[in-house]
Amino acid sequence: MRMCDLVKYGSGALLPGLLLAGCATLPEPPKAYLPAVDVPAIAETVPVGTANDDAADDPAIWRNAADPAASLIVGTDKKAGLYVYGLDGKVRDFLAAGALNNADLREVTLADGTKRILVAASDRTDRSQPRIALFWLEGTNGKLSEIGTETFLPADRGSAEAYGFCMGGALGENDLARAYVVLKDGTVVESALFEQGDRIVPTYIRDVKLATQSEGCVVDDATQTLYVAEEDVGIWKVPLQTVLKAEAYARVGAQDGLVDDVEGLAIARDGKERAWLVASSQGDNAYTLFDLADGSMTGRFRIGGGEIDGTSDTDGIEVVLGDFGPRFPEGLFIAQDGDNAPEAQNFKLLSWQSIREALEIE
């Protein structure tokens, strides 16, 4: 260890005059790699079109109940637009829709009784004016069609950058769903999505503020609870039945199995009324599961050990349990891969059965 390392990492034996000498470019101390089991990916998507850049970000999953193996994945290229993939990882569609960061989808029933797949994403094309980009997804052929891009903040709220995004079920009498945009300053804005002719319009409802940069979020419809990742701090839960108030859920640190940044969040709920919150522990390239029944940490895993390369620096994740065909009989987990060199970034697909067995979940 060099003298400068002793200064940076806490030695009190050096004279004050040495503290400024030659230390300006020291790297940060390495982050701890906490214990985790390896689980192999069994498929991966075609890389996004933006090469040599941090581009792929956040996936969403639509499960085709009639033909589970024909289910679809939506994923963002945050420099270019929105992809649709099949479970084979091949591109079904791409829509050049600008700088879309995080995406989610919901099946909704329109006023005329039609059921459609609504896809929405945080649009940061204009960094000073946050918007929600909205699309229809056709389950039969995987094609996207653009509905429109809508603002949602009151005019007196000033400028802000849209960052994280997730959707939850309807909470009002006439809304189709609720949209949650996580602004980069830590503000989480709830909007109701209403059908208005050919448009889907977000209407501001309320917001809650976290102290620092936040992004990942997910809604547990079963308990009407929103979970938000404050990147350098941990995970917060926000009950949606009352006035929005953030409650600490898990903290960065070995005790809760999180190494900053805390990024994507997803909820896995099975048919036995069990559920887990899954978090991307980006700082040590791992994924941490929490039992939603009591908040305890169930286990941790990394993606690796198979014929497909592993993941690192993961941003967005998604998981849906249920039958997705013979390769994913119990459910599908997807993670963005921040380093897919020599190719551009992409998304890796895992079987939930492999994760469950690796973590010895009965």
Side-chain angles (χ1 to χ4, degrees):
M1 182 176 284
R2 299 171 300 166
M3 182 180 292
C4 241
D5 295 329
L6 290 173
V7 174
K8 189 163 184 75
Y9 302 147
S11 172
L14 300 177
L15 296 175
L18 295 176
L19 296 178
L20 301 179
C23 297
T25 59
L26 267 182
E28 290 294 318
K31 293 176 180 176
Y33 271 62
L34 303 176
V37 298
D38 283 344
V39 181
I42 60 174
E44 62 181 328
T45 67
V46 171
V48 298
T50 301
N52 303 315
D53 207 343
D54 180 24
D57 197 286
D58 189 48
I61 299 169
W62 175 70
R63 180 178 176 273
N64 186 333
D67 185 2
S71 298
L72 299 170
I73 302 161
V74 173
T76 58
D77 178 337
K78 60 188 176 187
K79 311 293 183 181
L82 202 58
Y83 281 90
V84 180
Y85 305 95
L87 298 190
D88 58 2
K90 295 180 180 179
V91 176
R92 298 290 190 269
D93 197 16
F94 172 74
L95 196 60
L100 307 183
N101 202 54
N102 286 14
D104 203 354
L105 58 81
R106 289 269 159 168
E107 291 188 349
V108 298
T109 302
L110 303 181
D112 64 1
T114 304
K115 293 184 178 181
R116 303 201 68 178
I117 307 166
L118 176 65
V119 177
S122 53
D123 188 337
R124 58 196 296 221
T125 304
D126 182 348
R127 298 296 175 94
S128 65
Q129 181 61 66
R131 292 182 170 87
I132 299 173
L134 298 135
F135 312 86
W136 295 122
L137 172 64
E138 296 299 329
T140 54
N141 58 17
K143 299 301 181 183
L144 288 164
S145 59
E146 192 167 7
I147 302 171
T149 302
E150 304 283 350
T151 60
F152 57 90
L153 272 184
D156 61 356
R157 294 298 298 271
S159 63
E161 180 180 343
Y163 206 43
F165 182 81
C166 56
M167 284 197 287
L171 297 178
E173 184 175 346
N174 297 313
D175 53 319
L176 295 174
R178 291 292 167 103
Y180 299 87
V181 180
V182 183
L183 306 181
K184 203 165 188 180
D185 69 355
T187 302
V188 186
V189 181
E190 180 187 56
S191 298
L193 298 179
F194 291 99
E195 183 182 0
Q196 194 173 97
D198 293 333
R199 298 167 62 200
I200 302 297
V201 179
T203 299
Y204 170 85
I205 301 296
R206 51 190 178 169
D207 60 66
V208 62
K209 179 73 168 65
L210 303 181
T212 61
Q213 182 169 307
S214 307
E215 182 179 5
C217 69
V218 67
V219 175
D220 181 13
D221 285 331
T223 61
Q224 293 188 336
T225 303
L226 169 70
Y227 295 86
V228 185
E230 187 177 2
E231 294 183 359
D232 294 331
V233 177
I235 302 170
W236 300 84
K237 68 175 183 178
V238 183
L240 298 174
Q241 306 96 325
T242 60
V243 174
L244 295 189
K245 181 180 179 181
E247 304 171 4
Y249 184 80
R251 296 285 186 179
V252 164
Q255 180 175 350
D256 285 337
L258 297 172
V259 181
D260 62 311
D261 290 349
V262 184
E263 289 285 343
L265 300 178
I267 287 176
R269 186 174 289 280
D270 71 9
K272 301 177 182 178
E273 298 303 319
R274 297 180 303 178
W276 299 267
L277 176 68
V278 189
S280 168
S281 176
Q282 189 184 73
D284 71 339
N285 302 328
Y287 310 90
T288 305
L289 273 69
F290 300 91
D291 189 326
L292 280 183
D294 58 14
S296 62
M297 183 173 64
T298 299
R300 308 179 81 246
F301 70 95
R302 294 188 176 90
I303 298 176
E307 295 181 0
I308 296 172
D309 63 304
T311 58
S312 59
D313 300 324
T314 293
D315 287 330
I317 61 174
E318 184 60 290
V319 60
V320 175
L321 302 192
D323 175 21
F324 281 83
R327 302 184 75 191
F328 308 96
E330 297 183 10
L332 172 64
F333 176 85
I334 304 175
Q336 179 259 9
D337 185 6
D339 184 3
N340 191 44
E343 297 180 295
Q345 295 178 345
N346 71 347
F347 301 91
K348 301 295 196 288
L349 284 63
L350 283 73
S351 165
W352 175 258
Q353 180 179 6
S354 297
I355 296 170
R356 180 184 60 77
E357 291 175 351
L359 296 180
E360 299 181 348
I361 298 172
E362 297 297 330

